[in-house]
Amino acid sequence: MRIRKYVLLILLGTAMGQARAQSVTVDATIDSLQILIGEQAHVKLEVSLDADKRAVFPVIADTLVRGVEVLDVAKPDTQLLNDGRRALITQEYTITSFDSALYYLPPLEVIVDGQPYRSKALALKVYSPQVPLDPENPESFFPPKTVMDPPFAWEDWYMFIACVLLLTPFLLLGIYFLKRLRDNKPIIRKVKVEPKLPPHQVAMQEIERIKQEKTWQKGLPKEYYTELTDTLRTYIKERFHFNALEMTSGEIIEKLLETNDKQAIADLRELFQTADLVKFAKHNPLMNENDANLLSAIDFINETKEQEDPNAKPQPTEITVVEKRSLQTKILLGAGVAVMAGMFIWALVYICKELYNYFA
């Protein structure tokens, strides 16, 4: 009797131990053992345990093993069994692979009340398709394609082109400022307005220059008489309104004979004759002859000049752009510059951002 009791106790303990060992079961299955590159497979992890126990499923990031990517992790699904005493928790993982190989999927570990339980290991074979697509078999697959560049679309560049066109005036303005600074010139140019001098004043200024240079004393009589006669020809053209620059000395004298001052024309005739001898016959006049011809030119200008109107209003000698702007114009100009500067900064930031996004 005692031996029978011992045997019953041993059998009862063994049954209770097996019951405890079988109170938590972890199983993993895969719906397809073989897939093509890019296809998907589903790994189902099931945990059977008492309803009062708590299970913690493994946290998987983006890869199950190297080469096998996890695309999605579904929410656990819980089913109560045996009148609510038992629970079956299921979680599904969607996986794929882009490299053909035979992959070993290690066991998945679940923690139940601090105790780890592991599922069985799985295997996944990934194939690379080698045959072209059969039109009569639409379920067949193409082999993997190379990376393709997106097509060019002008719509993606409209804003960029608009900003570049907006920045162009600022760029040209900046180049202008840099050039003016490099040449050491003011940014705002002065607009110089000079009244047109009467012909006799222009001629007298030129004769005064010739007199100061004293070219004839340097052994250059030809240059001296060329400058002197050119000054007289220009004066005659402006004063008497005929093209004396294209006429000979004799033609100029004949044209001037229409005036009444015969003495002034006689002195001018002598001056032109001396100039022609110097320029074409290499004549070398004396010092007093040069002075006399210079005085003859001055006398001819003074005797034939037009009389100035004493009631004529004096004209300004110089005005600047700034002086001609009113205070209101200055305010509008400053506001316009501020607005353009703000638009320039906005466009520059936008272009930099678009370029960063494009090349990133």
Side-chain angles (χ1 to χ4, degrees):
M1 292 295 294
R2 290 183 180 179
I3 295 175
R4 186 179 298 176
K5 290 182 181 179
Y6 290 146
V7 172
L8 291 175
L9 290 174
I10 292 172
L11 292 176
L12 182 59
T14 302
M16 293 179 63
Q18 291 179 352
R20 292 193 194 94
Q22 295 178 357
S23 62
V24 177
T25 58
V26 178
D27 188 25
T29 58
I30 187 169
D31 61 351
S32 179
L33 299 177
Q34 300 177 357
I35 62 173
L36 294 174
I37 288 178
E39 286 188 324
Q40 299 178 1
H42 301 86
V43 175
K44 184 182 294 186
L45 180 62
E46 294 182 342
V47 180
S48 177
L49 71 169
D50 292 338
D52 57 349
K53 293 184 178 181
R54 182 174 177 270
V56 179
F57 282 77
V59 178
I60 301 175
D62 54 355
T63 57
L64 192 58
V65 293
R66 184 175 181 179
V68 178
E69 300 182 9
V70 178
L71 301 179
D72 182 53
V73 179
K75 293 183 179 181
D77 179 42
T78 303
Q79 298 180 8
L80 296 178
L81 306 174
N82 297 336
D83 297 331
R85 293 190 299 271
R86 298 283 296 177
L88 179 63
I89 306 176
T90 304
Q91 189 168 39
E92 189 174 81
Y93 303 89
T94 303
I95 61 175
T96 188
S97 178
F98 297 95
D99 293 322
S100 58
L102 176 61
Y103 294 98
Y104 169 76
L105 306 182
L108 299 175
E109 187 175 85
V110 179
I111 305 298
V112 179
D113 289 344
Q115 183 70 27
Y117 297 89
R118 305 181 70 186
S119 68
K120 62 182 179 181
L122 301 174
L124 177 65
K125 178 64 176 179
V126 181
Y127 289 95
S128 178
Q130 301 296 330
V131 294
L133 180 64
D134 185 2
E136 298 179 357
N137 186 12
E139 294 182 358
S140 60
F141 292 89
F142 281 113
K145 295 183 178 180
T146 59
V147 178
M148 300 178 61
D149 295 329
F152 180 82
W154 281 106
E155 293 79 3
D156 299 336
W157 293 87
Y158 283 162
M159 185 60 69
F160 180 79
I161 295 174
C163 292
V164 171
L165 295 178
L166 180 63
L167 290 179
T168 300
F170 294 99
L171 179 61
L172 297 177
L173 187 61
I175 294 174
Y176 169 77
F177 284 161
L178 290 177
K179 187 176 183 300
R180 300 291 293 182
L181 292 175
R182 184 195 62 185
D183 298 338
N184 197 22
K185 294 181 179 180
I187 301 300
I188 300 178
R189 297 180 179 177
K190 290 185 177 180
V191 180
K192 191 175 183 179
V193 179
E194 293 182 349
K196 185 177 181 179
L197 296 176
H200 68 276
Q201 292 186 12
V202 176
M204 292 301 293
Q205 290 178 359
E206 188 65 17
I207 289 178
E208 183 64 25
R209 182 190 64 80
I210 297 173
K211 182 179 178 181
Q212 294 295 331
E213 291 182 355
K214 299 179 180 180
T215 309
W216 71 91
Q217 295 182 2
K218 301 176 183 179
L220 301 172
K222 182 178 181 180
E223 285 75 5
Y224 167 71
Y225 277 98
T226 299
E227 293 180 352
L228 184 59
T229 54
D230 287 346
T231 300
L232 289 173
R233 288 172 183 272
T234 303
Y235 166 73
I236 293 171
K237 176 185 177 182
E238 298 294 333
R239 172 64 180 84
F240 297 100
H241 308 292
F242 63 88
N243 192 7
L245 295 174
E246 303 295 333
M247 301 171 66
T248 64
S249 301
E251 292 173 344
I252 294 174
I253 296 301
E254 291 179 2
K255 192 73 175 176
L256 291 175
L257 285 175
E258 300 175 1
T259 63
N260 297 324
D261 195 343
K262 307 298 182 180
Q263 181 62 37
I265 296 175
D267 295 338
L268 183 64
R269 185 197 303 270
E270 183 178 354
L271 189 155
F272 276 132
Q273 290 176 351
T274 303
D276 291 340
L277 290 174
V278 172
K279 290 189 287 185
F280 303 110
K282 297 183 179 181
H283 173 64
N284 190 12
L286 299 176
M287 186 71 68
N288 58 351
E289 189 177 359
N290 294 329
D291 294 338
N293 288 325
L294 183 65
L295 293 176
S296 297
I298 295 174
D299 292 340
F300 173 77
I301 293 173
N302 288 330
E303 292 175 4
T304 57
K305 67 180 181 180
E306 290 182 337
Q307 298 298 323
E308 299 181 6
D309 185 4
N311 297 324
K313 295 182 180 180
Q315 298 181 5
T317 58
E318 183 181 78
I319 59 175
T320 62
V321 176
V322 177
E323 292 174 348
K324 295 182 68 176
R325 289 180 183 152
S326 63
L327 179 60
Q328 182 179 4
T329 304
K330 292 180 181 179
I331 295 175
L332 293 177
L333 180 60
V337 171
V339 172
M340 294 182 69
M343 295 177 65
F344 172 78
I345 295 174
W346 175 84
L348 185 61
V349 171
Y350 178 83
I351 290 177
C352 293
K353 181 180 177 182
E354 290 296 320
L355 290 176
Y356 175 80
N357 293 334
Y358 183 78
F359 293 105

